Amino acid sequence: MVCFLATAFFWAVFPPYLLRRIVKQINFIGVKTTLVIVLTGTFTGMVLALQTYYALVKFGAETSLGPVLALSLIRELGPVLSALMVTGRAGSALTAEIGIMRISEQIDALDAMALNPYKYLVIPNLLAGIISIPLLNAIFVVVGVWGGYAVAVGLTGVSSGTYFGGIRDFVSAKDILVGLYKSLSFGMLITWISCYKGYFTGYGAEGVSKATTQAVVLSSVTILIWDYFMTSILLT
Amino acid sequence: MIEVVDLYKSFKNHEVLRGVNLKVEEGQTLALIGGSGKGKSVLLKLIIGLTKPDRGKILINNQDISKLRGKLLKQLKERCGFVFQGGALFDSLTVFDNVAFPLREKTRMKESQILDTALSELARVGLSGAENKYPSEISGGMKKRVALARCLVMKPEIVLFDEPTTGLDPLTGKAIHKLIRDCQKSLHFTAIMVTHEIPAIFPLVDRVAMLYNGKIIASGTPAEIETSQDPVIHQFVHGELEGPISIQ
Ligand SMILES: Nc1ncnc2c1ncn2[C@@H]1O[C@H](COP(=O)(O)OP(=O)(O)O)[C@@H](O)[C@H]1O
Ligand SMILES: [Mg+2]
């Protein structure tokens, strides 16, 4: 698997660069996942506001609802949940698509034309993942904060000034960078695993369905494990 | 010219090819026959360098392709064409874009030139009017024609056909055979054709070779193969159930 990634990056250095395919995959992985991200982001923000408020009231600290919510979204929930949504929505489709191309000999056909399949199938997806997942993460965090705001101000009576003022005071550039690093690495992980599983799929429809399941499970588990390591490294 | 010398290939511990020897002269067409799942497709893929052999040599115009790397291998592949069993058309592209694909990716032709070349290639295989359909919307026979057009549009010197008529009705199969024959006459490529159309294919090819137990057990003119006294060849060519070949 490491070899697969190294080969892909090796070929990425040489032309042709196939920008149109990269744009197409950004549309597929990124743009078409936006609606899902907006929905899950909003509701995550809303439920987080309820739960956090419930906990904070016990300490009499409900005025810090804004920053607590923003920090957990920016540092943790945004990157992880948006990555999981992309895995379910686009990662599985990538594996299935590449797997079908493998079993119907379309990958061999590219190779037979002396065209490098990595250039057409793997590299555009890797780059599209690395570009679009941080952007999706940003959307997730923003709508999450607004969803939290709606609940905080509408239901629990925290004032709007307290909510955003707190966020401005307590969220630093470093927190945003942590989220960015995480989602960049998740973007690579998801597309790497999905492309690898599709590229080396087993025979027949059963092979592709197995590969797709494995890609989703492996991506999700890896995201959570990798998230722990990233957090522990970035906190120090 | 294609020459295969003592070629071995196995997958895990399943030995598929055990010392294949085969020779096709410039401009000739060879029909490769043999039982299903016995390694005919594997042999074709080895010849064009899609997989690497365990042992043995594959010479194309006296160059050993298993030793070629990078640019030289690329140049060699560019002179070969492969018509895959299922067509292997890119299903995200229309029929026209499939045929135009190699021109767009491999040549510096202008879009207007590509349009002309691809359309005339589609006309040659009798598919004028189907340019804007997707592979999922056309019949099996049409898919094979598109695959043929996509392969021939690059004017290859060597063409490998993997079961070009399997799964088609007899008439369509015949039409494809005639089409291949006509293309061969005008383009003069050297060809290997894996086929189960025995004996229909015999008048259309120069030589016939039979793959059995991982080896080429016979290679000769169609007449020689048809009248062969070897019990294995006789049984296979005449489709008899009784004989040395066990049928699983
Ligand atoms: N990539 C592969 N991995 C493992 N086994 C393979 C692979 N390709 C082919 N085989 C095996 O090699 C044998 C020959 O296959 P093939 O060449 O497709 O047969 P056919 O003569 O029908 O074209 C089959 O038993 C198949 O299972
Ligand atoms: Mg086959």
Side-chain angles (χ1 to χ4, degrees), chain B residues 41 85 162-163:
Chain B
S41 301
Q85 195 164 342
D162 197 352
E163 306 196 14

Side-chain angles (χ1 to χ4, degrees), chain A residues 105, chain B residues 36-37 39-42 85 162-163 194 196:
Chain A
E105 298 181 311
Chain B
S36 294
K40 301 182 298 300
S41 301
V42 169
Q85 195 164 342
D162 197 352
E163 306 196 14
V194 170
H196 295 304

Side-chain angles (χ1 to χ4, degrees), chain A residues 174-234:
Chain A
K174 187 173 172 250
D175 298 315
I176 294 174
L177 274 182
V178 168
L180 178 68
Y181 292 147
K182 281 186 176 179
S183 58
L184 276 174
S185 61
F186 293 156
M188 196 179 78
L189 275 175
I190 297 167
T191 43
W192 174 21
I193 292 172
S194 306
C195 290
Y196 176 87
K197 285 288 174 189
Y199 205 83
F200 296 105
T201 179
Y203 275 127
E206 199 196 336
V208 176
S209 85
K210 253 190 202 155
T212 309
T213 312
Q214 284 172 3
V216 172
V217 172
L218 188 61
S219 298
S220 312
V221 172
T222 316
I223 286 167
L224 293 173
I225 295 174
W226 182 244
D227 180 53
Y228 176 80
F229 284 108
M230 286 286 278
T231 309
S232 59
I233 290 166
L234 292 171

